[in-house]
Amino acid sequence: LNHTLPRIDPPYGYEQHSTRPYDFLLYGGAWLGSYFTDFRTALHVWGILISPVLEVLALFTFIWFIRPLTENKDNGIAGLLFVTQMGIIASFVAGRADHQSLILLLFILSLGIGLRLLMSGFNARTCYLAALVASLAIWVSVESILFPLVMVAAFGLFWVSGHTSLQRTLTYFSVSLVFFLGIFRLLEFGPSRFLEPTLDQLSIAYVTLFGLVALYWVLVTLYSHYRGVKQGLVFKITSALAWSALMVGLMHSCFPGFFAGPMSNVDELFRQVHLAKIKELQPSISIKALTGDDWLTAFSKSFLWVGIILPGIPLLIARILRTRGSIRLCWGFIGILGLVFVP
């Protein structure tokens, strides 16, 4: 695919960080609409409608996601709470044709699949589906790498605590994730650019990252199976910590600037003028802003965006403490995700 925008910085052009899956949706909808009107008008109308359409899909996906936790009770109230959140309203507003809406839809779908992996035990097809959705989300935007990393970390904590069946789940998921990431990289950039270590697009850097994650689970599985090693608490903790340190060292050596973030190589003027104004890139809670002169405005904005979760915190803690078995793991998984994503 041709990523260069020739009208920006001629004659060299500019390659934007966004990849193509969302564009496929835009042009696909416009192509269907072109049977009823001209293509430009169809693209304009579909660009206005695509986010609300994705919101409807996200709403039904959200209700499906929470079904194992609510047992089909209060789904309507949960759906109402979902669509009235400021983050949801801003991401799915009509006329805003932005890939954030698709990222949210895939995130919710990944959550639902993750819960089912915890509840149903090992299922190879569910592992493949979870990997496919997570890799598609990363293809849409590399900011989505956080969810599969947190998922592996959370499932890994449950594995350490004694849920040994999750080892097989994590092995199948991580290996499948690497496979799909490699396929999507080839689809968009072709073999000639497969090894380019860009950080703001799906690249060999992220294939390598999850390849190292997959290698850990493969090695643990093989070592335990063929050597008959009992996976005690010490073995699990020491092996995980040692491999994590090795991963950090390898990623830092092979891809300098990796831990500075996907936008680390962006022009500083572009960062100050444009990126600093994008709300999705700003933290929900900024300590610097809250301790500044205009702390009241900062507090109001933070409360507007994340205030809705405050009543849910004690309820979530109560669910984790009172439930048992796989349901408890599901609530714990949601709690871990909240600790990572809310701030």
Side-chain angles (χ1 to χ4, degrees), residues 209 212 245-260:
L209 172 66
L212 291 171
L246 177 63
M247 283 181 57
V248 170
L250 288 174
M251 293 302 297
H252 179 72
S253 301
C254 297
F255 307 102
F258 179 83
F259 292 101

Side-chain angles (χ1 to χ4, degrees), residues 1-8 12-21 23-24 139 184-190 193 196 198 200-202:
L1 298 173
N2 183 7
H3 301 78
T4 304
L5 302 176
R7 293 181 296 175
I8 302 178
Y12 308 104
Y14 171 76
E15 184 171 316
Q16 61 180 1
H17 69 273
S18 300
T19 45
R20 299 284 80 85
D23 292 347
F24 292 154
W139 186 19
F184 291 148
R185 172 69 185 180
L186 282 172
L187 280 176
E188 179 158 1
F189 296 95
R193 298 187 60 185
E196 284 188 14
T198 55
D200 58 347
Q201 297 172 326
L202 171 58

Side-chain angles (χ1 to χ4, degrees), residues 309-323:
I309 72 165
L310 296 179
I313 294 175
L315 295 175
L316 176 60
I317 295 173
R319 289 284 187 174
I320 295 174
L321 295 177
R322 293 178 181 178
T323 53

Side-chain angles (χ1 to χ4, degrees), residues 16 58 94 176 198 263 277:
Q16 61 180 1
S176 303
T198 55
M263 299 298 180
K277 304 296 191 299

Side-chain angles (χ1 to χ4, degrees), residues 175-248:
V175 171
S176 303
L177 182 63
V178 177
F179 171 77
F180 287 124
L181 287 175
I183 292 296
F184 291 148
R185 172 69 185 180
L186 282 172
L187 280 176
E188 179 158 1
F189 296 95
S192 63
R193 298 187 60 185
F194 184 80
L195 297 179
E196 284 188 14
T198 55
L199 297 179
D200 58 347
Q201 297 172 326
L202 171 58
S203 71
I204 190 62
Y206 300 103
V207 177
T208 302
L209 172 66
F210 289 104
L212 291 171
V213 173
L215 183 59
Y216 169 76
W217 292 108
V218 170
L219 290 177
V220 167
T221 300
L222 292 176
Y223 188 68
S224 302
H225 180 73
Y226 290 107
R227 297 294 296 272
V229 177
K230 183 179 179 181
Q231 294 183 351
L233 183 63
V234 174
F235 168 79
K236 293 177 179 179
I237 294 177
T238 54
S239 64
L241 291 177
W243 192 263
S244 298
L246 177 63
M247 283 181 57
V248 170

Side-chain angles (χ1 to χ4, degrees), residues 9 44 102-103 113 132 144 149 155 157 160 184 204 289 298 322:
D9 192 22
H44 175 73
L102 181 58
I103 292 173
I113 300 172
L132 175 62
S144 299
L149 287 176
F155 282 32
L157 286 174
V160 168
F184 291 148
I204 190 62
R322 293 178 181 178

